[in-house]
Amino acid sequence: MGWFSTLFGARRGGAPEQDILELRIHGIKNTPPAEMLGVPPGEVRPDQADENGGFFVPTVDPVDPTDPAYPPSRIRREGYSWGLMARYGGGALVVVGQFFVQLAWLLILPFGLCNTAYWTRRIPRQTVAGEWRAGRGAASLRVFALCLTLLYVCALASVALDLIGSQCLAGTASCPSMPGWLNDFFALPDFDRRGIRLAMLSLVPVLGVVVLLVVSHTARTRYEAGIFGTVDKMRHAEERGGAAAADPNGRTPLATEGFWGMTRVRLPSELLHLAGSLFLVSILLGWDDVFAACSRGSSRIPAACWGGEPAPLARWWVSAAVLAAIVGLVVAIARVMADTDTVTRPSRTVSTAARRNLVRRRLRLRERWAGWTLLVSVAVYVVVFVAVAVPDPHLNYARIPFLGLVISPAIVTGVLLAIALSALGWRRLPEWPRSAARVREWFPAVACIALVVVAGLAVALAVLLTPDGSPPEPPSIIAYSVSLGALVLLALVIAFQPSRARRREVLRYEGWGGTGPGVVLLLSLGGAMLLSTLVVLGAQCWLSSPGAVPICPLSPGDAALITPGAYRNFGSTVPVLAVLLLLLVAVVAVARMRTTPQFTTPRTEGGRPLLAPLRSYRDGHVPLTTTSGKLTTRMLHARRFAGLFHRGEPILGALAGLLAVGCVVAVSFPDTWRPTALLDFALPALGLIAVSAIVTIAENAIATKERPIGVMWDLMCFLPRAGHPYGPPCYAERVIPELRGRIVAWLETDLLAGRIVDGRDTRSELERADDELAALGTPQRRKVILSAHSLGGVLAVSCLFTLGADTSGGLRNVGLLTYGTQLRAFFGRFFPELFGGEVLGVRRSAGPSLWSADPWLRQVNRDQADPPVERPGDGPEPTLRELLTQPDGEIAWINLWRRTDYLGFPDDSYDDNDIDRGADEFGPARYLVKVATHPGYPASAQYMTALRDLSRRL
């Protein structure tokens, strides 16, 4: 019972009892506890913490009463550190082990983006506690996740089966860098045949998938929310008849009981991904064994291969196994599509216990299905493995290229691209109508599906009609034209379909104009293709280079080793795409750095006034500054520089579009359409990317850092895993329950008199739940102020929704102080159902402009022209603003921001409002003159003013 011993011992010396808990939560900078608490390094101690994070308290008070960070005597300051929860390296492993673990983390980056894309979809309101309605696109996204795994299987198989097994070891190409022990092993009498070589090397892609599973699963076991009692709390809330048991109008997801404790990709998904990988390896290995001798490596199977003697089809057991693997892969895809909801929605008259039993039965059934599917995949793989490895006197083809990988990567990439393109319309297209009178609303969605199918089939037909190594003929050109036309029509339908004015107005406040799911999936696909290309082409260069410096022409006519065309095509586009993106960034930077705009600034309370303050834009135009003092000019330049970073959203959208073009080229373009020198020109760019990645990983391994991809990693790991089962763990599944427990334990201290006997809590579960509601919803002597920076503000808001899920009159004893946050500008737009304006109770925000002097010009003018919305929420549960509104009408929520912050924005409006305030744009006076940017808010005078105001309001 460490909570109670900590809370009851809250006095320090002879100081008055501290009845306000200031709980600080750091952001993506991973601020150390001492710095977060404003004390010298080493003057903190853990309090309910472990090696990954937790609560820390200072061992000394700030010694300077004039310091703005000095807390009043009645405030107890604590810090919550979560940074290491979002990172997982090799732990106690040596440097080499850490290197490979970090490399595995880099490879699952696309899996994390896939999970992020899940939450950018339109998430339905949840009607029954303990169950989950996934909404449109969930089934397609699960297929996308499975295809990501299969894409990695193709890449590893291309290296092991094609480059090493069929070219280097067979002697068809010179591989001077081939490890000697590998040559010696496969030169042994029993291993010098093509079949046994390929059979044994087929273990490489299988083991690669197992490694990704192990790395993800090992890290995930540290965070899964079940061990923190979240599921049990949800069950007791249902039993006492709380609001979470069943709400006919539905609830926003964050206000749903068990949101952070519900695993949406469970063991069945993990098993199905492994089974799908085994099925694909079996198809590749068996297909080559059946047709390689007859087709001589051609991607088109000659008619003679389907009959005659000696026919490859005479190996009927291999052919049957290949057919079984194809059927099994289709079944795995179908089962993945079905695994989208926790359970189908039963009647609301069904009791809570019956619903829980139904959920368990469905989950057990899915686990049984997945287990049998995995067992069948293992059996099929063993049959193919043995059949290929056993000598066959009728088949003697030692120097034939591997057949199965000629077109497989392009097929998998094509499926991924089709799903990503269709995802562009998941939010923009209307939902399926519920009445026959609105059947005409089906047309846009049906048209998009049809156009994606037509484009894919046309590309496949064009590839099949193009002879190997020959220019495309008129039928192929016609098929390519049909595919291009279908893609253009798809873009037009998605862009211009929302004809209703209200729908267009809604899309204005969503990420990338409502195309967020598709944009994130395209980024995921682009990342997976880039990593796969680096693996395949890097292995090709390494194997064919005689020295330490790789010198390897990649064009088919000059290369010693040949790789699948999809990787060569995509690799050839990488430098072109990089140059185009850099040109766009350079043009925007030059256009915006030529002048010095004067941005609007927020009002400040406490401390010195801001330099060059501007309350509004006259006539809606940004004024430019020509001459100013040296200090003012420096500050204006800092504001302008921060504004450049605010344009990241359209830049990411442009990157997603460029990656889509690269994937189209990878899937559809034959080698004859690409200049032969383009691949050789791409080699330095690819090498630079690979070397940069390896150096970064090695530096992390040597320094034992456990932050694989920095800021991006923290953002990806924030929301629960719901798309790819091998994705990184969600640290918030530990953070939110711990924050909630700390807050409740502090508030209910006065209610525990006589109920704690010898440090043991004697209350029943239902009594604990009732005390929790009383501590949150009725005035108490003790108060809590959540002080959250940057991404910590998102964690704090998520925690507040779990606190207010069952209260009827809001939170009477909890305040919120945020600073440097992105709640409205980014999170509210990328995840509208989680953090949108209707959920937070604030005005919505449009996206940044790429070219305006102020990237938020449109929103600034709109905020100053439109009055605040009195009741922005559309559901029965209160918004965040209403949860924090006190009986006297004041809001226990203050947000600090400044124009020099490259990641800080107002939470409600750029105009004067009762939530947002300004903070100093220069560092504390005891420092040299330094522009304040994203960190350092607690050191400003405005911070302590806001903290005292919140204490008064509570």
Side-chain angles (χ1 to χ4, degrees):
M1 303 304 294
W3 292 114
F4 303 107
S5 61
T6 298
L7 298 181
F8 284 124
R11 294 177 180 269
R12 292 184 182 176
E17 184 175 359
Q18 298 167 322
D19 56 0
I20 296 180
L21 173 63
E22 178 196 357
L23 185 53
R24 292 188 176 183
I25 309 170
H26 66 75
I28 55 179
K29 185 177 177 288
N30 193 18
T31 307
E35 181 181 345
M36 181 168 42
L37 295 172
V39 297
E43 296 296 341
V44 295
R45 63 175 178 86
D47 187 70
Q48 301 295 322
D50 56 22
E51 69 275 8
N52 299 316
F55 296 92
F56 293 83
V57 295
T59 56
V60 296
D61 289 331
V63 295
D64 183 7
T66 63
D67 188 343
Y70 186 81
S73 58
R74 61 180 298 207
I75 293 181
R76 171 185 171 89
R77 178 174 294 172
E78 296 184 5
Y80 185 81
S81 177
W82 55 267
L84 291 180
M85 299 180 192
R87 303 144 174 87
Y88 181 71
L93 297 177
V94 296
V95 172
V96 175
Q98 289 214 16
F99 175 84
F100 284 105
V101 171
Q102 295 277 356
L103 180 61
W105 275 114
L106 178 63
L107 291 176
I108 66 175
L109 167 64
F111 302 165
L113 288 173
C114 178
N115 286 327
T116 302
Y118 180 94
W119 299 105
T120 60
R121 300 175 306 110
R122 188 181 296 133
I123 307 296
R125 301 179 70 85
Q126 306 302 312
T127 57
V128 181
E131 301 169 9
W132 183 253
R133 299 172 57 202
R136 169 190 282 175
S140 299
L141 188 136
R142 297 287 171 81
V143 177
F144 184 93
L146 177 58
C147 289
L148 281 180
T149 304
L150 300 183
L151 184 62
Y152 278 174
V153 171
C154 289
L156 295 175
S158 298
V159 175
L161 298 177
D162 193 0
L163 292 179
I164 297 178
S166 297
Q167 298 185 54
C168 291
L169 293 176
T172 59
S174 174
C175 302
S177 296
M178 186 76 172
W181 63 267
L182 197 60
N183 280 318
D184 296 339
F185 177 79
F186 284 108
L188 296 174
D190 294 333
F191 298 97
D192 59 349
R193 292 176 291 101
R194 184 179 190 272
I196 188 64
R197 287 199 305 266
L198 294 179
M200 296 195 66
L201 288 172
S202 68
L203 293 171
V204 173
V206 176
L207 293 177
V209 175
V210 172
V211 168
L212 294 179
L213 169 62
V214 170
V215 170
S216 176
H217 187 79
T218 302
R220 189 166 64 249
T221 55
R222 308 192 306 168
Y223 309 120
E224 294 295 351
I227 63 176
F228 294 98
T230 305
V231 177
D232 291 337
K233 177 200 166 299
M234 177 192 68
R235 177 165 56 84
H236 295 305
E238 291 177 347
E239 290 175 353
R240 71 172 185 266
D247 193 332
N249 297 316
R251 313 192 73 175
T252 58
L254 285 180
T256 304
E257 291 283 1
F259 177 83
W260 299 103
M262 185 185 303
T263 304
R264 295 164 183 83
V265 278
R266 300 171 181 260
L267 178 63
S269 296
E270 296 180 350
L271 299 181
L272 289 173
H273 277 243
L274 186 56
S277 302
L278 286 169
F279 279 134
L280 180 59
V281 174
S282 302
I283 293 171
L284 296 176
L285 196 61
W287 190 271
D288 173 83
D289 188 71
V290 172
F291 293 109
C294 181
S295 65
R296 295 289 171 177
S298 173
S299 59
R300 274 157 294 281
I301 309 301
C305 290
W306 301 98
E309 287 293 341
L313 286 178
R315 305 190 69 182
W316 58 268
W317 58 89
V318 183
S319 303
V322 171
L323 180 60
I326 295 174
V327 174
L329 184 58
V330 173
V331 171
I333 293 175
R335 294 304 305 171
V336 166
M337 293 181 65
D339 192 20
T340 55
D341 296 87
T342 303
V343 69
T344 54
R345 283 171 286 168
S347 171
R348 293 192 180 96
T349 60
V350 178
S351 65
T352 301
R355 285 200 307 269
R356 190 181 304 117
N357 292 332
L358 180 60
V359 170
R360 291 173 179 171
R361 287 198 302 270
R362 294 294 181 100
L363 291 177
R364 284 197 297 266
L365 179 61
R366 289 176 180 177
E367 290 179 0
R368 191 178 300 115
W369 261 99
W372 279 107
T373 304
L374 179 60
L375 185 62
V376 171
S377 69
V378 172
V380 171
Y381 175 69
V382 170
V383 170
V384 174
F385 185 98
V386 173
V388 172
V390 170
D392 191 334
H394 299 288
L395 298 175
N396 184 17
Y397 45 96
R399 296 178 177 273
I400 296 176
F402 192 84
L403 175 63
L405 289 163
V406 174
I407 200 173
S408 298
I411 294 176
V412 176
T413 305
V415 174
L416 288 166
L417 181 62
I419 296 175
L421 292 177
S422 65
L424 294 171
W426 287 351
R427 295 193 67 93
R428 295 184 64 87
L429 301 180
E431 296 288 347
W432 295 106
R434 298 182 179 179
S435 63
R438 299 171 58 193
V439 155
R440 62 184 181 84
E441 295 186 6
W442 291 9
F443 174 75
V446 173
C448 287
I449 296 174
L451 289 172
V452 169
V453 172
V454 169
L457 292 177
V459 168
L461 181 62
V463 172
L464 292 176
L465 292 177
T466 304
D468 290 340
S470 302
E473 298 178 353
S476 302
I477 297 177
I478 294 175
Y480 278 121
S481 302
V482 170
S483 176
L484 179 61
L487 291 178
V488 172
L489 289 176
L490 175 68
L492 293 176
V493 171
I494 293 176
F496 299 107
Q497 185 280 327
S499 57
R500 297 184 179 181
R502 182 180 181 276
R503 184 61 190 151
R504 289 198 300 270
E505 180 68 15
V506 170
L507 293 176
R508 180 182 302 170
Y509 300 106
E510 295 180 356
W512 296 286
T515 61
V519 170
V520 179
L521 286 183
L522 285 174
L523 293 174
S524 174
L525 172 57
M529 275 299 296
L530 179 60
L531 292 171
S532 300
T533 300
L534 291 176
V535 169
V536 175
L537 298 187
Q540 177 186 2
C541 290
W542 170 62
L543 290 171
S544 59
S545 299
V549 179
I551 303 176
C552 50
L554 301 179
S555 55
D558 303 326
L561 297 174
I562 304 300
T563 52
Y567 303 117
R568 298 196 304 270
N569 288 343
F570 187 83
S572 65
T573 64
V574 168
V576 178
L577 302 180
V579 168
L580 292 177
L581 183 66
L582 291 176
L583 283 177
L584 175 62
V585 174
V587 169
V588 173
V590 170
R592 295 276 52 90
M593 297 294 284
R594 289 187 300 106
T595 58
T596 303
Q598 188 175 353
F599 295 157
T600 57
T601 55
R603 61 182 175 86
T604 59
E605 294 187 16
R608 55 181 178 272
L610 299 178
L611 293 178
L614 184 65
R615 301 304 308 129
S616 63
Y617 294 134
R618 179 178 298 180
D619 300 327
H621 298 290
V622 180
L624 302 180
T625 300
T626 55
T627 57
S628 298
K630 184 177 181 180
L631 201 59
T632 302
T633 301
R634 182 177 176 184
M635 182 269 301
L636 291 175
H637 287 173
R639 293 179 184 174
R640 179 184 62 184
F641 186 75
L644 288 178
F645 278 84
H646 293 177
R647 307 170 204 269
E649 179 185 339
I651 294 296
L652 282 178
L655 174 60
L658 292 174
L659 291 174
V661 173
C663 291
V664 170
V665 172
V667 170
S668 57
F669 276 41
D671 289 333
T672 55
W673 282 23
R674 183 189 62 245
T676 57
L678 189 57
L679 259 178
D680 299 333
F681 173 74
L683 181 60
L686 295 174
L688 180 61
I689 295 174
V691 170
S692 301
I694 292 175
V695 169
T696 301
I697 294 174
E699 190 271 336
N700 286 345
I702 294 173
T704 64
K705 293 181 179 179
E706 297 189 343
R707 191 178 193 183
I709 315 172
V711 173
M712 194 172 188
W713 202 256
D714 291 345
L715 297 177
M716 286 192 315
C717 301
F718 161 65
L719 289 166
R721 291 179 307 111
H724 202 295
Y726 301 165
C730 169
Y731 57 86
E733 290 181 347
R734 170 179 169 176
V735 171
I736 302 303
E738 287 192 348
L739 288 174
R740 178 190 175 96
R742 190 66 152 183
I743 294 170
V744 171
W746 176 269
L747 293 178
E748 66 181 5
T749 300
D750 292 343
L751 302 175
L752 299 180
R755 295 184 170 184
I756 305 300
V757 180
D758 297 330
R760 184 173 55 89
D761 191 350
T762 61
R763 297 173 298 168
S764 65
E765 294 293 343
L766 292 180
E767 288 176 336
R768 292 181 184 179
D770 293 337
D771 287 344
E772 178 180 314
L773 286 179
L776 295 171
T778 59
Q780 301 290 328
R781 177 180 60 87
R782 290 192 166 206
K783 313 292 181 181
V784 175
I785 296 177
L786 290 177
S787 171
H789 177 229
S790 190
L791 186 58
V794 182
L795 295 171
V797 168
S798 302
C799 179
L800 290 176
F801 273 110
T802 66
L803 291 170
D806 298 323
T807 58
S808 58
L811 300 173
R812 293 292 173 259
N813 308 300
V814 182
L816 177 63
L817 175 56
T818 57
Y819 37 96
T821 62
Q822 310 86 33
L823 276 169
R824 184 177 85 136
F826 289 148
F827 284 92
R829 301 185 57 257
F830 299 158
F831 313 105
E833 287 75 24
L834 302 181
F835 303 101
E838 295 82 359
V839 179
L840 301 182
V842 299
R843 283 177 274 194
R844 297 174 297 177
S845 175
S849 170
L850 196 59
W851 305 107
S852 299
D854 182 358
W856 306 99
L857 175 62
R858 290 175 299 179
Q859 190 59 40
V860 171
N861 291 332
R862 188 176 291 113
D863 285 346
Q864 294 171 349
D866 298 339
V869 181
E870 294 294 332
R871 176 66 168 95
D874 61 351
E877 76 282 357
T879 64
L880 180 66
R881 177 194 289 266
E882 291 171 333
L883 280 176
L884 297 175
T885 299
Q886 302 303 300
D888 59 0
E890 288 192 295
I891 303 175
W893 178 11
I894 295 177
N895 176 66
L896 302 177
W897 70 287
R898 48 195 172 211
R899 276 289 191 169
T900 55
D901 188 346
Y902 48 84
L903 279 178
F905 306 90
D907 281 347
D908 185 23
S909 170
Y910 282 92
D911 197 16
D912 289 341
N913 62 87
D914 48 7
I915 293 179
D916 297 303
R917 298 180 181 179
D920 288 338
E921 294 182 329
F922 286 99
R926 63 179 179 273
Y927 296 147
L928 297 175
V929 176
K930 180 180 179 181
V931 176
T933 56
H934 189 53
Y937 278 92
S940 65
Q942 289 80 15
Y943 178 88
M944 190 52 60
T945 299
L947 185 64
R948 294 178 186 274
D949 285 350
L950 284 176
S951 302
R952 177 186 54 80
R953 295 180 186 183
L954 290 174

